[in-house]
């Protein structure tokens, strides 16, 4: 089969399109013919060797995807050959085939394309885990999605809308603004604009926001401490470096800083996460948005694109 292979850590150029052996189905696992693979920022950190968890070389990257069940292993009861599915959290999705444990595979509703299926896994799971399992969000609360135009941000806006939170959001482009307003955000700000923090504070009549979902904490954590309401929560989902903050702002507001790590979600939490995703896909409150579909062999282009500004949905690799 064809796959993208990483044989040494480095820039996007280390992603090689190669012929490798097709994997064989295992007990309690499903062999999937991958039609689309979701590109996540974490794929670039793992490729570069800069992620805390180091993959042994060589490996096929990618942890999300969607496709058709080709074969089921002994003990598999939920799936059968020919079924449309999506999967999350299994390394090796940048390939024509992947073997996934049954527990990480989910039925893909007929109304969704394979690309939309590949856009669900990690972004929607992270948004749910951050908003509801880590921050314990409740209907009626206010949330600021600080970085709402990307995979996790869009998922967070859609979950927050369907659960009755009031949503403020930041984006970097007009396209992102229209997208996020269209999904039900009450007010959208531009995180590259001088004075946007003051604009948000003005909008909240200086009360701040009860929950902040932060996609780039190394740039924004200190700003978040001025934007969060008294006894509010700052939920750190993404960060790409260090930042200096004034801890006095934490105690002054009795603010809580909460880290999110989807890889630490327990089996019980994962069960809730994917039940909520399944329900939201069925009642149309969750609709994955695709920004670009790129042929699998051009994975390096996708890795260059995902770290640049201008997000407006997911970048997907198609086989
Ligand atoms: P993405 O699709 O690439 O989106 C990145 C988002 O960050 C875009 O909305 C982008 O907006 C926004 N952004 C850029 N500059 C910003 C700034 N100065 N302030 C606020 N937002 C800014 O990535 P993603 O999949 O949504 O993931 C977001 C982050 O969460 C990444 O760092 C990722 O590694 C991390 N993540 C963490 C976990 C976890 O378990 N903790 C799981 C999944 C993802 P514009 O492009 O419009 O400027």
């Amino acid at each position: 089969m064809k796959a993208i292979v990483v044989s040494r850590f480095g820039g996007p150029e280390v992603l090689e399109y190669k012929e490798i052996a097709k994997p064989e189905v295992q007990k309690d696992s499903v062999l999937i013919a991958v039609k689309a693979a979701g590109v996540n920022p974490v794929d670039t950190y793992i490729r570069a060797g800069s992620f805390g968890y180091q993959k042994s070389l060589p490996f096929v990257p990618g942890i999300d995807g969607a496709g058709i069940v080709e074969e089921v292993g002994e003990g598999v009861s939920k799936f059968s050959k020919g079924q449309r599915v999506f999967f999350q959290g299994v390394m090796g999705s940048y390939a024509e085939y992947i073997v996934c444990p049954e527990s990480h595979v989910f039925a893909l509703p007929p109304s969704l394309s394979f690309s939309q299926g590949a856009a669900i896994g990690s972004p929607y799971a992270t948004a749910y885990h951050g908003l509801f399992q880590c921050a314990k969000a409740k209907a009626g609360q206010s949330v600021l999605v600080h970085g709402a135009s990307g995979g996790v941000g869009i998922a967070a806006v859609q979950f927050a809308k369907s659960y009755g939170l009031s949503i403020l959001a930041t984006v970097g482009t007009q396209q992102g603004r229209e997208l996020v307003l269209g999904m039900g955000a009450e007010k959208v700000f531009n995180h590259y604009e001088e004075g946007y923090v003051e604009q948000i504070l003005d909008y909240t009549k200086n009360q701040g926001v009860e929950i902040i979902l932060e996609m780039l904490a190394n740039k924004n954590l200190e700003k978040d401490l001025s934007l969060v309401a008294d006894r509010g929560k700052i939920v750190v989902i993404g960060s790409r470096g260090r930042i200096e903050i004034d801890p006095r702002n934490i105690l002054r507001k009795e603010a809580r800083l909460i880290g999110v790590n989807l890889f630490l979600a327990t089996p019980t939490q994962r069960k809730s996460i994917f039940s909520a995703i399944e329900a939201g896909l069925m009642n149309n409150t969750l609709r994955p948005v695709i920004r670009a579909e790129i042929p699998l062999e051009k994975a390096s282009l996708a890795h260059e694109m995902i770290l640049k500004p201008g997000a407006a949905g997911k970048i997907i690799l198609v086989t």
Side-chain angles (χ1 to χ4, degrees), residues 39-45 51 63 122-123 125-127 129 145-155 170-177 180 190-192 196 213-220 223 236-240 259-264 291 305-315:
V39 177
N40 291 296
V42 72
D43 303 345
T44 72
Y45 319 149
F51 193 54
I63 54 172
S122 298
T126 303
H129 185 51
V145 184
H146 210 161
S149 46
V152 179
I154 286 173
T170 77
V171 299
T173 62
Q174 183 58 23
Q175 193 189 357
R177 170 185 298 276
V180 172
N190 186 326
H191 46 234
Y192 301 121
Y196 83 94
L213 298 186
E214 181 50 63
M215 303 303 157
L216 202 56
N218 57 302
K219 287 240 189 279
N220 296 330
K223 294 176 196 160
V236 177
I237 295 177
S239 187
R240 293 183 182 156
V260 170
N261 183 353
L262 183 61
F263 290 105
L264 286 187
R291 170 184 170 200
M305 282 172 71
I306 195 159
L307 294 184
K308 288 186 181 151
K314 286 292 296 179
I315 298 171

